[in-house]
Amino acid sequence: MIKKLSVAVLVVAMSLNIQAQTRNKTLYVIADGIPADVLERLDLPNIKRIAKEGSYSRMHVGGDKGTYNQTPTISAVGYNSLLTGTWVNKHNVPDNDIKEPNYNYPTIFKLLKDQYPQKKTAIFSSWTDNRTKLLGYDLPATGNFKVNKYFDGYELDTARYKHDRVKNYMHLIDEQVISDAVVTLKTDAPDLSWVYLEYTDDMGHMYGDSPQMEVAVKMLDEQIGKLYAAVELRKKQHKENWLFIITTDHGRDEKTGKGHGGQSTRQRTTWVVSNQKLANKYATYYQPAIVDIMPTIARFMNITLPLKVAQEIDGIPMIGAVSITNANVNYIQGNIDVSWTALENTGSVKVWLTTTNNFKASSKDDYKLVAEVPLADGHALIGVKHSQSSFYKIVLEAPNNMLNRWLETPK
């Protein structure tokens, strides 16, 4: 009788857990071009309330400065780093023209739909290219991926939104995007939604660090308040579990605040606000990056990343257990010196090696297991004298996450 009761309790617990997982929903907002120092010094009651309930952290964009994955601090580049969890050397969006995105690096939207076809997605955007180019809406290269709901294209409607010199029309478009999102969230909340707002970046480009920029950020805070009220209503009325993330795509230059695109500290320094505590060991002790948002959403939404995708992700989840960070590789006289920072004391790290980069062309890389060492060791020395190559990809597989690095050998 006791055994039967235990089994019944287990079945009920598993059922409740599955039900809870199906109620996990995510809404993330990209508020364009707001440096961390601006966000931190202004009185923004809605954003600061969300941060108090959950978390706030400085973040960075731009890849690893001076390395193969250094990434321009430009808008669409940052969006795609968030969407794919990779830097520009992989997703291939170096500017706002978005000419040849590499769709072999899937977005978080496509990964969700591939695993959960029944789940709903939406985008609310002040820039149509986010859907048509970055998400690759209905393109053969993305398998004709589609979002279930989209609200965009307003910037193309010059009759309704007359393009004025001071760009007030962009604020009106942002307001419409927020209205669309609030109505949709309240009535038929998708499982994964992206809200993109442009006006703050326009004010930055026109006026730099200025009263106009500050006013734009304060108006953004009011818009965030409307979105979060809709999320709170969903949580109360439908018992849903929400991940609400707000971030930006780049900072601004130190001298005037008008420009961005370079690698100065302020241009690279961004931020992330969430209603959830993004505060595992990695996020607490290291400055996270925009590429970390994608695997964080994946973990929250119970998305299992295919192995070939997990091997390419540059980001680290900011929730849940994480084993390693800070991977480095260096070629020394026929050896590859591999190191990492251990965030746990037990377990091992498997070191995988390949001399190909076929993934970018939708083919398979032939990884070889070249070492397995205790995680706490923090390093491994891999002999490659008998497999000389000008290029290597190294993947470190730990119990709770993977890291990857590229290496070109000296000529």
Side-chain angles (χ1 to χ4, degrees), residues 127-174:
W127 194 36
T128 308
D129 285 359
N130 287 334
R131 171 177 60 87
T132 58
K133 293 184 178 181
L134 293 181
L135 292 182
Y137 183 89
D138 202 22
L139 296 180
T142 63
N144 299 105
F145 165 82
K146 294 181 181 179
V147 288
N148 296 95
K149 293 179 179 291
Y150 62 88
F151 299 83
D152 58 21
Y154 300 120
E155 77 277 20
L156 306 176
D157 186 353
T158 56
R160 182 178 177 187
Y161 299 99
K162 186 177 180 180
H163 289 202
D164 58 306
R165 185 179 60 81
V166 295
K167 288 209 166 182
N168 184 60
Y169 75 94
M170 278 311 310
H171 170 62
L172 298 177
I173 289 174
D174 282 358

Side-chain angles (χ1 to χ4, degrees), residues 30-32 124-127 154 161 167-181 195-202 216 219-220 223 226:
I30 296 179
D32 205 318
F124 310 88
S125 175
S126 298
W127 194 36
Y154 300 120
Y161 299 99
K167 288 209 166 182
N168 184 60
Y169 75 94
M170 278 311 310
H171 170 62
L172 298 177
I173 289 174
D174 282 358
E175 286 283 291
Q176 182 61 55
V177 166
I178 290 295
S179 177
D180 294 334
V195 174
Y196 167 71
L197 305 168
E198 181 183 314
Y199 185 64
T200 47
D201 189 53
D202 290 337
M219 290 193 296
L220 167 76
Q223 294 166 341
K226 296 174 184 177

Side-chain angles (χ1 to χ4, degrees), residues 14 46 57 60 89 147 153 159-160 275:
M14 290 176 63
N46 292 300
S57 176
H60 77 271
N89 60 299
V147 288
R160 182 178 177 187
N275 68 324

